[in-house]
């Protein structure tokens, strides 16, 4: 890293700390030439590759905007939407890739949105998956119903098994 004071080509890292929940790294540096200290901030850039092949920086704001549209008129508060966007970003960054297809971003949104609000999930899924007919909606609604039944049966089975154990 070039010194901002004397323009010497090298510097020494004195201290490193994470910031913004690990998304940024602040490094305190010292110049061996002039002895002055300065701070740098490093951020891992995550790029999204669109269907057209265009690459753009990942944007949590775009996720919030899309999810907000899907949640319009639903009893979902801004904090829940922001938390969902954070979870999506963490999921994507955990993959460790510098570039990720936009399709994977959409998939990362669907799961948490399904848990947050089923109507908003259907709205988002209908656009994301390009539903063409009523049959597409019916299939997705049946999938939601099957998941709800499984949760109900799983909960009931667990209570029943616990009762038998005692």
């Amino acid at each position: 890293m070039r010194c901002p004071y004397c323009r010497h080509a090298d510097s020494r890292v004195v201290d490193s700390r994470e910031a913004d929940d690990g998304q940024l790294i602040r490094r305190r540096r010292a110049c061996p030439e002039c002895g002055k200290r300065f701070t740098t901030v490093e951020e891992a850039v995550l790029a999204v590759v669109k269907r057209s092949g265009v690459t753009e920086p990942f944007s949590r704001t775009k996720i919030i905007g899309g999810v907000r549209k899907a949640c319009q008129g639903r009893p979902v508060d801004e904090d829940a939407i922001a938390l969902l966007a954070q979870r999506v970003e963490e999921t994507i960054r955990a993959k460790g890739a510098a570039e990720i297809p936009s399709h994977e971003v959409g998939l990362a949104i669907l799961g948490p949105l399904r848990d947050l609000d089923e109507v908003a999930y259907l709205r988002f899924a209908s656009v994301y998956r390009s539903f063409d007919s009523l049959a597409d909606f019916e299939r997705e609604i049946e999938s939601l119903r099957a998941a709800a039944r499984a949760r109900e049966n799983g909960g009931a089975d667990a209570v029943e098994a616990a009762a038998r154990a005692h």
Side-chain angles (χ1 to χ4, degrees), residues 82-103:
L83 187 60
L84 182 143
Q86 180 181 344
R87 284 178 54 199
V88 168
E89 183 173 356
E90 288 169 355
T91 299
I92 290 169
R93 287 192 184 275
K95 293 179 187 264
E99 291 185 346
I100 187 158
S102 60
H103 174 75

Side-chain angles (χ1 to χ4, degrees), residues 54-161:
V54 174
T55 301
E56 65 180 46
F58 175 84
S59 170
R60 189 185 294 188
T61 306
K62 286 183 82 171
I63 291 176
I64 290 171
V67 172
R68 186 180 290 135
K69 283 179 189 173
C71 292
Q72 196 168 5
R74 301 295 303 154
V76 177
D77 65 2
E78 285 296 314
D79 289 343
I81 293 172
L83 187 60
L84 182 143
Q86 180 181 344
R87 284 178 54 199
V88 168
E89 183 173 356
E90 288 169 355
T91 299
I92 290 169
R93 287 192 184 275
K95 293 179 187 264
E99 291 185 346
I100 187 158
S102 60
H103 174 75
E104 288 189 34
V105 176
L107 289 176
I109 293 170
L110 285 173
L113 186 56
R114 187 177 194 168
D115 295 338
L116 181 65
D117 187 275
E118 290 178 338
V119 172
Y121 166 78
L122 277 174
R123 289 174 178 169
F124 189 90
S126 70
V127 173
Y128 175 70
R129 292 188 175 147
S130 303
F131 286 5
D132 291 326
S133 67
L134 188 58
D136 293 333
F137 280 95
E138 288 172 339
R139 251 191 316 279
E140 201 60 45
I141 290 169
E142 183 50 42
S143 169
L144 287 169
R145 287 182 177 147
R149 282 192 299 271
R151 281 193 307 271
E152 288 172 8
N153 289 342
D157 291 344
V159 170
E160 192 176 303

